[in-house]
Amino acid sequence: MKTLKIRFVKIYGSYTVQQKTWFGWKDLRYVVEMGYGSVSYPYGGKTKDAALLDVLENKFKADRRFIKVIEYPTIKIY
């Protein structure tokens, strides 16, 4: 069973996800290649559950049953 240490960042009513690494907190993002350049977007959602499901399905390709999630306190950005 894999352990995932995350925290949520609340920005203007939606949540993004950060993962704890050895060097601090890292934003979980995905990259869209367009041929002439690339754009990166953060994983997130309107609720914490939606953001967590988005990260687990698309980034880690796993289900909630197989990953132990340790959640740290949420940060609010105004």
Side-chain angles (χ1 to χ4, degrees), residues 2-78:
K2 183 175 182 175
T3 301
L4 181 64
K5 297 177 182 179
I6 62 167
R7 73 176 176 191
F8 296 99
V9 179
K10 185 174 182 180
I11 303 173
Y12 302 117
S14 64
Y15 291 93
T16 61
V17 183
Q18 292 183 339
Q19 182 180 11
K20 188 173 184 179
T21 63
W22 287 32
F23 303 109
W25 292 95
K26 181 179 108 177
D27 289 324
L28 295 177
R29 305 176 78 76
Y30 62 95
V31 177
V32 177
E33 298 286 338
M34 295 188 213
Y36 52 84
S38 61
V39 179
S40 70
Y41 296 105
Y43 287 106
K46 292 287 183 185
T47 63
K48 287 183 181 181
D49 291 331
L52 181 61
L53 287 176
D54 188 27
V55 167
L56 291 177
E57 288 176 3
N58 298 320
K59 173 83 174 165
F60 295 105
K61 307 281 192 260
D63 192 30
R64 177 78 167 97
R65 297 175 292 170
F66 305 115
I67 294 183
K68 180 181 175 185
V69 177
I70 299 173
E71 182 180 341
Y72 286 85
T74 301
I75 295 177
K76 295 179 183 177
I77 296 177
Y78 297 101

